[in-house]
Coordinates of all heavy atoms in Angstrom, one line a residue:
M14 N 106.0 106.0 104.3 CA 105.9 104.6 104.2 C 106.1 103.9 105.6 O 105.4 102.9 105.9 CB 106.9 104.0 103.2 CG 106.9 102.5 103.2 SD 108.1 101.7 102.2 CE 107.4 101.9 100.6
G15 N 107.0 104.4 106.3 CA 107.3 103.8 107.6 C 106.1 103.9 108.5 O 105.8 102.9 109.2
R16 N 105.4 105.0 108.5 CA 104.2 105.1 109.3 C 103.1 104.2 108.9 O 102.4 103.5 109.7 CB 103.7 106.6 109.3 CG 102.5 106.8 110.1 CD 102.8 106.8 111.6 NE 101.6 107.1 112.4 CZ 101.1 106.3 113.3 NH1 101.8 105.2 113.7 NH2 100.0 106.6 113.9
A17 N 102.9 104.0 107.6 CA 101.9 103.1 107.0 C 102.2 101.7 107.4 O 101.3 100.9 107.8 CB 101.9 103.3 105.5
A18 N 103.5 101.3 107.3 CA 103.9 100.0 107.7 C 103.6 99.7 109.2 O 103.2 98.7 109.6 CB 105.4 99.7 107.4
E19 N 103.9 100.7 110.0 CA 103.7 100.6 111.4 C 102.2 100.5 111.7 O 101.8 99.6 112.5 CB 104.2 101.9 112.1 CG 104.1 101.9 113.6 CD 104.6 103.2 114.2 OE1 105.7 103.7 113.7 OE2 104.0 103.7 115.1
I20 N 101.4 101.2 111.1 CA 99.9 101.2 111.3 C 99.4 99.8 111.0 O 98.6 99.2 111.7 CB 99.2 102.2 110.5 CG1 99.5 103.6 111.0 CG2 97.7 102.0 110.4 CD1 99.0 104.7 110.1
L21 N 99.9 99.2 109.9 CA 99.4 97.9 109.4 C 100.1 96.7 110.1 O 99.6 95.6 110.0 CB 99.6 97.8 107.9 CG 98.8 98.8 107.0 CD1 99.2 98.7 105.6 CD2 97.3 98.5 107.2
G22 N 101.2 97.0 110.7 CA 102.0 95.9 111.4 C 102.7 95.0 110.3 O 102.8 93.8 110.5
V23 N 103.2 95.7 109.3 CA 103.9 95.0 108.2 C 105.2 95.7 108.0 O 105.5 96.8 108.6 CB 103.1 95.0 106.9 CG1 101.8 94.3 107.0 CG2 102.9 96.4 106.3
T24 N 106.1 95.1 107.2 CA 107.4 95.7 106.9 C 107.2 96.7 105.7 O 106.3 96.6 104.9 CB 108.4 94.7 106.5 OG1 108.0 94.0 105.3 CG2 108.6 93.7 107.6
Q25 N 108.2 97.6 105.6 CA 108.2 98.5 104.5 C 108.4 97.7 103.2 O 107.9 98.1 102.2 CB 109.3 99.6 104.7 CG 108.9 100.6 105.8 CD 110.0 101.6 105.9 OE1 110.7 102.0 105.0 NE2 110.1 102.2 107.1
A26 N 109.2 96.6 103.3 CA 109.4 95.8 102.1 C 108.1 95.2 101.6 O 107.9 95.1 100.4 CB 110.4 94.7 102.5
F27 N 107.2 94.9 102.5 CA 105.9 94.3 102.1 C 105.2 95.4 101.3 O 104.6 95.1 100.2 CB 105.1 93.9 103.3 CG 103.7 93.4 103.0 CD1 103.5 92.2 102.4 CD2 102.6 94.2 103.3 CE1 102.2 91.8 102.1 CE2 101.3 93.8 102.9 CZ 101.1 92.6 102.4
L28 N 105.1 96.6 101.7 CA 104.5 97.7 101.0 C 105.1 97.9 99.7 O 104.5 98.2 98.7 CB 104.4 98.9 101.8 CG 103.5 98.9 103.1 CD1 103.6 100.2 103.9 CD2 102.1 98.6 102.7
R29 N 106.5 97.9 99.6 CA 107.2 98.1 98.4 C 106.8 96.9 97.4 O 106.7 97.1 96.2 CB 108.7 98.1 98.6 CG 109.2 99.5 99.1 CD 110.7 99.6 99.0 NE 111.4 98.7 100.0 CZ 111.6 99.0 101.2 NH1 111.2 100.2 101.7 NH2 112.2 98.2 102.0
T30 N 106.7 95.7 97.9 CA 106.3 94.6 97.1 C 104.9 94.8 96.5 O 104.7 94.6 95.3 CB 106.2 93.3 97.9 OG1 107.6 93.0 98.4 CG2 105.8 92.1 97.1
L31 N 103.9 95.3 97.2 CA 102.6 95.6 96.7 C 102.7 96.7 95.6 O 101.9 96.7 94.7 CB 101.6 96.0 97.8 CG 101.4 94.9 98.9 CD1 100.3 95.4 99.9 CD2 100.9 93.6 98.2
D32 N 103.6 97.6 95.8 CA 103.8 98.7 94.8 C 104.5 98.0 93.6 O 104.1 98.3 92.4 CB 104.7 99.8 95.4 CG 104.9 101.0 94.5 OD1 104.1 101.2 93.5 OD2 105.7 101.8 94.8
G33 N 105.4 97.1 93.8 CA 106.1 96.5 92.7 C 105.2 95.6 91.8 O 105.4 95.5 90.6
V34 N 104.2 95.0 92.4 CA 103.2 94.2 91.7 C 102.1 95.0 91.1 O 101.1 94.5 90.6 CB 102.7 92.9 92.4 CG1 103.9 92.0 92.8 CG2 101.9 93.3 93.7
R35 N 102.2 96.3 91.4 CA 101.2 97.3 90.9 C 99.8 97.1 91.5 O 98.8 97.5 90.9 CB 101.2 97.4 89.4 CG 102.5 97.8 88.9 CD 102.5 98.1 87.4 NE 103.8 98.6 87.0 CZ 104.1 98.7 85.8 NH1 103.3 98.3 84.8 NH2 105.3 99.1 85.5
L36 N 99.7 96.5 92.7 CA 98.4 96.5 93.4 C 98.1 97.8 94.0 O 97.0 98.3 94.0 CB 98.4 95.4 94.5 CG 97.1 95.2 95.2 CD1 96.0 94.7 94.2 CD2 97.2 94.3 96.3
L37 N 99.2 98.5 94.5 CA 99.0 99.8 95.1 C 100.0 100.7 94.3 O 101.1 100.4 94.0 CB 99.5 99.8 96.5 CG 98.7 98.9 97.5 CD1 99.3 99.1 98.9 CD2 97.2 99.2 97.5
T38 N 99.5 101.9 94.0 CA 100.4 102.9 93.4 C 100.2 104.2 94.3 O 99.3 105.0 94.0 CB 100.0 103.2 92.0 OG1 100.0 102.0 91.3 CG2 100.9 104.2 91.3
P39 N 101.0 104.3 95.3 CA 100.9 105.5 96.2 C 101.3 106.8 95.6 O 102.1 106.8 94.6 CB 101.8 105.1 97.4 CG 102.8 104.2 96.8 CD 102.1 103.4 95.7
Q40 N 100.7 107.8 96.1 CA 101.2 109.2 95.7 C 102.6 109.4 96.2 O 103.0 108.6 97.1 CB 100.2 110.2 96.2 CG 98.8 110.1 95.7 CD 98.7 110.4 94.2 OE1 99.3 111.4 93.7 NE2 98.0 109.6 93.5
R41 N 103.3 110.3 95.7 CA 104.6 110.7 96.2 C 104.6 112.1 96.8 O 104.0 113.0 96.2 CB 105.7 110.6 95.1 CG 105.8 109.2 94.5 CD 106.6 108.3 95.4 NE 106.8 107.0 94.8 CZ 107.9 106.2 95.1 NH1 108.8 106.7 96.0 NH2 108.0 105.0 94.6
S42 N 105.3 112.2 97.9 CA 105.5 113.6 98.5 C 106.6 114.3 97.6 O 107.2 113.7 96.8 CB 106.0 113.5 99.9 OG 107.3 113.0 100.0
A43 N 106.7 115.6 97.9 CA 107.7 116.4 97.2 C 109.1 115.8 97.4 O 110.0 115.8 96.5 CB 107.7 117.8 97.7
G44 N 109.3 115.1 98.5 CA 110.6 114.5 98.8 C 110.7 113.1 98.2 O 111.8 112.4 98.4
G45 N 109.7 112.6 97.6 CA 109.7 111.3 96.9 C 109.2 110.2 97.8 O 109.3 109.0 97.5
H46 N 108.7 110.5 99.0 CA 108.2 109.5 99.9 C 106.8 109.0 99.5 O 106.0 109.8 99.0 CB 108.2 110.0 101.4 CG 109.5 110.4 101.9 ND1 110.4 109.5 102.3 CD2 110.0 111.7 102.0 CE1 111.5 110.2 102.7 NE2 111.3 111.5 102.5
R47 N 106.6 107.7 99.7 CA 105.3 107.1 99.3 C 104.3 107.6 100.3 O 104.5 107.6 101.5 CB 105.4 105.6 99.3 CG 106.2 105.0 98.2 CD 106.3 103.5 98.4 NE 107.0 102.9 97.3 CZ 108.3 102.7 97.2 NH1 109.1 103.1 98.2 NH2 108.8 102.1 96.2
R48 N 103.1 108.0 99.8 CA 102.0 108.4 100.6 C 100.8 107.5 100.3 O 100.3 107.6 99.1 CB 101.7 109.9 100.5 CG 102.9 110.7 100.8 CD 102.6 112.2 100.7 NE 101.5 112.5 101.6 CZ 101.4 113.5 102.4 NH1 102.4 114.4 102.3 NH2 100.4 113.7 103.1
Y49 N 100.3 106.8 101.2 CA 99.1 105.9 101.0 C 97.8 106.4 101.4 O 97.7 107.1 102.5 CB 99.4 104.5 101.7 CG 100.6 103.8 101.2 CD1 101.9 104.0 101.8 CD2 100.5 102.9 100.2 CE1 103.0 103.3 101.4 CE2 101.6 102.2 99.7 CZ 102.9 102.4 100.3 OH 104.0 101.8 99.8
S50 N 96.8 106.2 100.7 CA 95.4 106.6 101.1 C 94.9 105.6 102.0 O 95.4 104.5 102.2 CB 94.5 106.7 99.8 OG 94.3 105.4 99.3
R51 N 93.8 106.0 102.7 CA 93.1 105.0 103.6 C 92.7 103.8 102.8 O 92.8 102.7 103.3 CB 92.0 105.7 104.3 CG 92.4 106.7 105.4 CD 91.2 107.2 106.1 NE 91.6 107.9 107.3 CZ 91.6 109.3 107.3 NH1 91.1 110.0 106.3 NH2 92.0 109.9 108.4
Y52 N 92.2 104.0 101.6 CA 91.7 102.9 100.8 C 92.9 101.9 100.5 O 92.8 100.7 100.6 CB 91.1 103.4 99.5 CG 90.8 102.4 98.5 CD1 89.7 101.6 98.7 CD2 91.6 102.2 97.3 CE1 89.3 100.6 97.8 CE2 91.2 101.2 96.4 CZ 90.1 100.4 96.6 OH 89.8 99.4 95.7
Q53 N 94.0 102.5 100.2 CA 95.2 101.7 99.9 C 95.7 100.9 101.1 O 96.1 99.8 101.0 CB 96.4 102.5 99.3 CG 96.1 103.0 97.9 CD 97.1 104.0 97.4 OE1 97.6 104.8 98.2 NE2 97.4 104.0 96.1
L54 N 95.6 101.6 102.3 CA 95.9 100.9 103.5 C 95.0 99.7 103.8 O 95.4 98.7 104.3 CB 95.9 101.9 104.7 CG 97.0 102.9 104.7 CD1 96.9 103.9 105.8 CD2 98.4 102.3 104.6
R55 N 93.7 99.9 103.5 CA 92.7 98.8 103.7 C 93.1 97.6 102.7 O 93.0 96.5 103.1 CB 91.3 99.3 103.4 CG 90.7 100.1 104.6 CD 89.2 100.3 104.5 NE 88.8 100.8 103.2 CZ 88.6 102.1 103.0 NH1 88.9 103.0 103.9 NH2 88.2 102.5 101.8
I56 N 93.5 98.0 101.5 CA 93.9 96.9 100.5 C 95.1 96.2 101.1 O 95.1 94.9 101.0 CB 94.1 97.5 99.1 CG1 92.8 97.9 98.5 CG2 94.8 96.5 98.3 CD1 93.0 98.6 97.2
A57 N 96.1 96.9 101.5 CA 97.3 96.3 102.0 C 97.0 95.4 103.2 O 97.5 94.3 103.3 CB 98.3 97.3 102.4
A58 N 96.1 95.8 104.1 CA 95.8 95.1 105.3 C 95.0 93.8 104.8 O 95.3 92.7 105.4 CB 94.9 95.9 106.2
R59 N 94.2 93.9 103.8 CA 93.5 92.7 103.3 C 94.4 91.7 102.7 O 94.3 90.5 102.9 CB 92.4 93.1 102.3 CG 91.6 92.0 101.8 CD 90.7 91.3 102.8 NE 89.9 90.3 102.2 CZ 89.7 89.1 102.6 NH1 90.2 88.7 103.8 NH2 89.0 88.2 102.0
V60 N 95.4 92.2 101.9 CA 96.4 91.3 101.3 C 97.2 90.6 102.5 O 97.4 89.4 102.4 CB 97.3 92.1 100.4 CG1 98.5 91.2 100.0 CG2 96.6 92.5 99.2
R61 N 97.6 91.3 103.5 CA 98.3 90.7 104.6 C 97.5 89.6 105.3 O 97.9 88.6 105.6 CB 98.7 91.8 105.6 CG 99.4 91.3 106.8 CD 100.9 91.1 106.5 NE 101.1 89.7 106.3 CZ 102.2 89.2 105.8 NH1 103.2 89.9 105.3 NH2 102.4 87.9 105.7
E62 N 96.2 89.9 105.4 CA 95.2 89.0 106.1 C 95.2 87.7 105.2 O 95.2 86.6 105.8 CB 93.9 89.7 106.1 CG 92.8 89.0 106.8 CD 91.5 89.8 106.8 OE1 91.5 90.8 107.5 OE2 90.6 89.4 106.1
L63 N 95.1 87.8 103.9 CA 95.0 86.7 103.0 C 96.3 85.9 103.0 O 96.2 84.6 103.0 CB 94.6 87.1 101.6 CG 93.1 87.7 101.5 CD1 93.0 88.4 100.2 CD2 92.2 86.5 101.6
I64 N 97.4 86.6 103.0 CA 98.7 85.9 103.1 C 98.8 85.1 104.4 O 99.2 83.9 104.4 CB 99.8 86.8 102.8 CG1 99.8 87.3 101.4 CG2 101.2 86.2 103.2 CD1 100.8 88.4 101.1
D65 N 98.4 85.7 105.5 CA 98.5 85.1 106.8 C 97.6 83.9 106.8 O 97.8 82.9 107.6 CB 98.1 86.0 107.9 CG 99.1 87.1 108.2 OD1 100.3 87.0 107.6 OD2 98.8 88.1 108.9
A66 N 96.5 83.8 106.0 CA 95.6 82.7 105.9 C 96.1 81.6 105.0 O 95.4 80.6 104.8 CB 94.2 83.2 105.5
G67 N 97.3 81.8 104.4 CA 97.9 80.7 103.6 C 97.9 80.9 102.1 O 98.4 80.1 101.4
N68 N 97.4 82.1 101.7 CA 97.4 82.4 100.2 C 98.8 82.9 99.8 O 99.5 83.6 100.6 CB 96.4 83.4 99.9 CG 95.0 82.9 100.1 OD1 94.5 82.1 99.3 ND2 94.3 83.3 101.2
S69 N 99.1 82.7 98.6 CA 100.4 83.3 98.0 C 100.1 84.8 97.8 O 99.0 85.2 97.8 CB 100.7 82.6 96.7 OG 99.7 82.9 95.7
L70 N 101.2 85.5 97.6 CA 101.0 86.9 97.3 C 100.2 87.1 96.0 O 99.3 87.9 96.0 CB 102.4 87.6 97.1 CG 102.4 89.1 96.7 CD1 101.7 89.9 97.7 CD2 103.8 89.6 96.4
E71 N 100.5 86.3 95.0 CA 99.8 86.4 93.7 C 98.3 86.1 94.0 O 97.4 86.8 93.5 CB 100.4 85.5 92.7 CG 99.7 85.5 91.3 CD 100.3 84.6 90.3 OE1 101.5 84.4 90.4 OE2 99.5 84.0 89.6
G72 N 98.0 85.1 94.7 CA 96.6 84.7 95.0 C 95.9 85.7 95.8 O 94.8 86.1 95.5
A73 N 96.6 86.3 96.8 CA 96.0 87.3 97.6 C 95.7 88.6 96.8 O 94.6 89.2 97.0 CB 96.9 87.7 98.8
C74 N 96.6 89.0 95.9 CA 96.3 90.1 95.1 C 95.1 89.9 94.2 O 94.3 90.8 94.0 CB 97.6 90.5 94.3 SG 98.9 91.1 95.3
R75 N 95.1 88.7 93.6 CA 94.0 88.4 92.7 C 92.6 88.4 93.5 O 91.6 88.9 92.9 CB 94.2 87.0 92.0 CG 93.2 86.7 91.0 CD 93.4 87.6 89.8 NE 92.3 87.3 88.8 CZ 91.6 88.2 88.2 NH1 91.9 89.5 88.3 NH2 90.7 87.8 87.3
I76 N 92.6 87.9 94.7 CA 91.4 87.9 95.5 C 91.0 89.3 95.8 O 89.8 89.6 95.6 CB 91.6 87.1 96.8 CG1 91.7 85.6 96.5 CG2 90.5 87.4 97.8 CD1 92.2 84.7 97.7
V77 N 91.9 90.1 96.1 CA 91.6 91.5 96.4 C 91.0 92.3 95.2 O 90.0 93.0 95.3 CB 92.8 92.3 97.0 CG1 92.6 93.8 97.0 CG2 93.1 91.8 98.4
I78 N 91.6 92.0 94.1 CA 91.1 92.6 92.8 C 89.7 92.2 92.5 O 88.8 93.0 92.2 CB 92.1 92.3 91.6 CG1 93.4 93.1 91.8 CG2 91.4 92.6 90.3 CD1 94.5 92.6 90.9
L79 N 89.5 90.9 92.7 CA 88.1 90.3 92.4 C 87.1 90.9 93.4 O 86.0 91.2 93.1 CB 88.2 88.8 92.4 CG 88.9 88.2 91.2 CD1 89.1 86.7 91.4 CD2 88.2 88.5 89.9
E80 N 87.5 91.0 94.7 CA 86.6 91.5 95.7 C 86.2 93.0 95.4 O 85.1 93.4 95.5 CB 87.2 91.5 97.1 CG 87.3 90.1 97.7 CD 88.1 90.0 99.0 OE1 88.9 90.9 99.3 OE2 87.9 89.0 99.7
D81 N 87.2 93.7 94.9 CA 87.0 95.1 94.5 C 86.1 95.2 93.3 O 85.1 96.0 93.3 CB 88.3 95.8 94.2 CG 88.2 97.3 94.2 OD1 87.6 97.9 95.1 OD2 88.7 97.9 93.2
Q82 N 86.3 94.4 92.3 CA 85.4 94.3 91.1 C 84.0 93.9 91.5 O 83.0 94.5 91.0 CB 86.0 93.4 90.1 CG 87.2 93.9 89.4 CD 87.8 92.9 88.5 OE1 87.6 91.7 88.5 NE2 88.7 93.3 87.6
L83 N 83.9 93.0 92.4 CA 82.5 92.6 92.9 C 81.8 93.7 93.6 O 80.6 93.9 93.4 CB 82.6 91.3 93.8 CG 81.3 90.7 94.3 CD1 80.4 90.3 93.1 CD2 81.6 89.6 95.2
A84 N 82.5 94.4 94.4 CA 81.9 95.5 95.2 C 81.5 96.6 94.2 O 80.4 97.2 94.3 CB 82.9 96.1 96.2
E85 N 82.3 96.9 93.1 CA 81.9 97.8 92.1 C 80.6 97.4 91.4 O 79.7 98.2 91.1 CB 83.0 98.1 91.1 CG 84.1 98.9 91.7 CD 85.3 99.1 90.7 OE1 85.0 99.0 89.5 OE2 86.4 99.4 91.1
A86 N 80.6 96.1 91.0 CA 79.4 95.5 90.3 C 78.2 95.6 91.2 O 77.1 96.0 90.7 CB 79.7 94.1 89.9
H87 N 78.3 95.3 92.5 CA 77.1 95.4 93.4 C 76.6 96.9 93.4 O 75.4 97.1 93.4 CB 77.5 95.0 94.8 CG 77.5 93.5 94.9 ND1 76.4 92.7 94.7 CD2 78.5 92.6 95.3 CE1 76.6 91.4 94.9 NE2 77.9 91.3 95.2
A88 N 77.6 97.8 93.5 CA 77.2 99.2 93.6 C 76.5 99.7 92.3 O 75.5 100.4 92.3 CB 78.4 100.1 93.8
L89 N 77.0 99.3 91.1 CA 76.4 99.6 89.9 C 75.0 99.0 89.8 O 74.1 99.6 89.3 CB 77.3 99.1 88.7 CG 76.8 99.4 87.3 CD1 76.5 100.8 87.0 CD2 77.7 98.8 86.3
N90 N 74.9 97.7 90.2 CA 73.6 97.0 90.1 C 72.6 97.8 91.0 O 71.5 97.9 90.6 CB 73.8 95.6 90.6 CG 72.6 94.8 90.4 OD1 71.9 94.9 89.4 ND2 72.2 93.9 91.4
A91 N 73.0 98.2 92.2 CA 72.1 98.9 93.1 C 71.6 100.2 92.4 O 70.5 100.6 92.5 CB 72.8 99.2 94.4
T92 N 72.6 100.9 91.8 CA 72.3 102.2 91.1 C 71.3 102.0 90.0 O 70.3 102.7 89.8 CB 73.5 102.9 90.6 OG1 74.4 103.1 91.7 CG2 73.2 104.1 89.8
L93 N 71.6 101.0 89.2 CA 70.7 100.7 88.0 C 69.3 100.2 88.5 O 68.3 100.5 87.9 CB 71.3 99.6 87.1 CG 72.6 100.1 86.4 CD1 73.2 98.9 85.7 CD2 72.2 101.2 85.4
Q94 N 69.3 99.4 89.6 CA 68.0 98.9 90.1 C 67.2 100.1 90.6 O 66.0 100.1 90.4 CB 68.2 97.9 91.2 CG 66.9 97.2 91.7 CD 66.2 96.4 90.6 OE1 66.8 95.6 90.0 NE2 64.9 96.8 90.4
H95 N 67.8 101.0 91.3 CA 67.1 102.2 91.8 C 66.6 103.0 90.7 O 65.4 103.4 90.7 CB 68.1 103.0 92.7 CG 67.5 104.3 93.2 ND1 66.6 104.3 94.2 CD2 67.7 105.6 92.8 CE1 66.2 105.5 94.5 NE2 66.8 106.3 93.7
A96 N 67.3 103.2 89.6 CA 66.9 103.9 88.5 C 65.7 103.2 87.8 O 64.7 103.8 87.4 CB 68.0 104.1 87.4
L97 N 65.8 101.9 87.7 CA 64.7 101.1 87.1 C 63.4 101.2 88.0 O 62.3 101.4 87.5 CB 65.1 99.7 87.0 CG 64.1 98.7 86.3 CD1 63.8 99.2 84.9 CD2 64.7 97.3 86.3
D98 N 63.6 101.1 89.3 CA 62.5 101.2 90.2 C 61.8 102.6 90.1 O 60.6 102.6 90.1 CB 62.9 101.0 91.6 CG 63.3 99.5 91.9 OD1 63.0 98.6 91.1 OD2 64.0 99.3 93.0
E99 N 62.6 103.6 90.0 CA 62.0 105.0 89.8 C 61.3 105.1 88.5 O 60.2 105.7 88.4 CB 63.1 106.0 89.9 CG 63.5 106.3 91.3 CD 64.5 107.5 91.4 OE1 64.9 108.0 90.3 OE2 64.8 107.9 92.5
H100 N 61.8 104.5 87.4 CA 61.2 104.5 86.1 C 59.9 103.8 86.1 O 58.9 104.2 85.4 CB 62.2 104.0 85.1 CG 61.6 103.9 83.7 ND1 61.5 105.1 82.9 CD2 61.1 102.9 82.9 CE1 60.9 104.8 81.8 NE2 60.7 103.5 81.7
E101 N 59.8 102.7 86.8 CA 58.6 101.8 86.8 C 57.6 102.2 87.8 O 56.5 101.7 87.8 CB 59.0 100.4 87.0 CG 59.8 99.8 85.8 CD 60.2 98.3 86.1 OE1 60.1 97.9 87.2 OE2 60.7 97.7 85.1
S102 N 58.0 103.1 88.7 CA 57.1 103.6 89.8 C 55.9 104.3 89.2 O 56.0 105.1 88.3 CB 57.9 104.5 90.7 OG 57.0 105.1 91.6
P103 N 54.7 104.0 89.8 CA 53.5 104.6 89.3 C 53.5 106.1 89.5 O 52.8 106.9 88.8 CB 52.3 104.0 90.0 CG 52.9 103.1 91.1 CD 54.4 103.0 90.8
D104 N 54.3 106.6 90.5 CA 54.4 108.0 90.8 C 55.3 108.8 89.8 O 55.3 110.0 89.8 CB 54.9 108.2 92.2 CG 54.0 107.7 93.3 OD1 52.8 107.6 93.0 OD2 54.4 107.4 94.4
S105 N 56.1 108.0 89.1 CA 57.1 108.7 88.2 C 56.3 109.2 86.9 O 55.3 108.7 86.5 CB 58.2 107.7 87.7 OG 57.7 106.7 86.9
E106 N 56.9 110.3 86.4 CA 56.3 110.9 85.2 C 56.9 110.2 84.0 O 58.0 109.9 83.9 CB 56.7 112.4 85.1 CG 56.1 113.2 86.3 CD 56.5 114.6 86.2 OE1 56.9 115.1 85.1 OE2 56.4 115.3 87.2
H107 N 56.0 109.9 83.0 CA 56.5 109.2 81.8 C 56.4 110.1 80.6 O 55.6 110.9 80.4 CB 55.6 108.0 81.5 CG 55.9 106.9 82.5 ND1 57.0 106.1 82.5 CD2 55.1 106.5 83.6 CE1 56.9 105.3 83.6 NE2 55.8 105.5 84.2

């Protein structure tokens, strides 16, 4: 956790807070230390950015969740559009 906080330029308490509000659920080492993925570090950095811009912790967490859901929706839309395009292509077999 200390290294993650150092990389992000935040306190360990900030990372514990994100764990406490269940925005991040880091893996645990055999010794019980929190281990964050790169994705989780990006989320924590985004929350810090939003808080620094004047958002509350709750607001920042909600924004991050919505941004993540939007990215997933865009990816699903692209996948479905690609499948539809292949289905409608004159080269595709019917």
Side-chain angles (χ1 to χ4, degrees):
M14 175 188 277
R16 181 74 178 124
E19 182 182 318
I20 289 169
L21 295 173
V23 300
T24 64
Q25 291 182 25
F27 175 74
L28 292 175
R29 279 192 292 275
T30 299
L31 296 182
D32 190 10
V34 298
R35 297 188 176 167
L36 183 65
L37 301 179
T38 306
Q40 297 293 316
R41 297 283 183 152
S42 70
H46 299 283
R47 290 175 176 90
R48 300 183 60 137
Y49 296 93
S50 68
R51 286 187 173 105
Y52 174 73
Q53 290 172 325
L54 292 177
R55 283 194 306 269
I56 288 175
R59 180 67 177 135
V60 170
R61 179 81 258 168
E62 186 180 289
L63 290 164
I64 290 171
D65 289 347
N68 293 284
S69 66
L70 175 63
E71 182 180 323
C74 290
R75 186 69 184 135
I76 289 168
V77 167
I78 290 167
L79 290 171
E80 287 174 341
D81 194 50
Q82 289 173 343
L83 181 60
E85 286 180 20
H87 280 299
L89 178 59
N90 189 40
T92 299
L93 293 173
Q94 186 61 54
H95 179 73
L97 182 61
D98 290 345
E99 283 187 353
H100 179 73
E101 293 178 348
S102 169
D104 297 334
S105 67
E106 297 179 19
H107 294 284

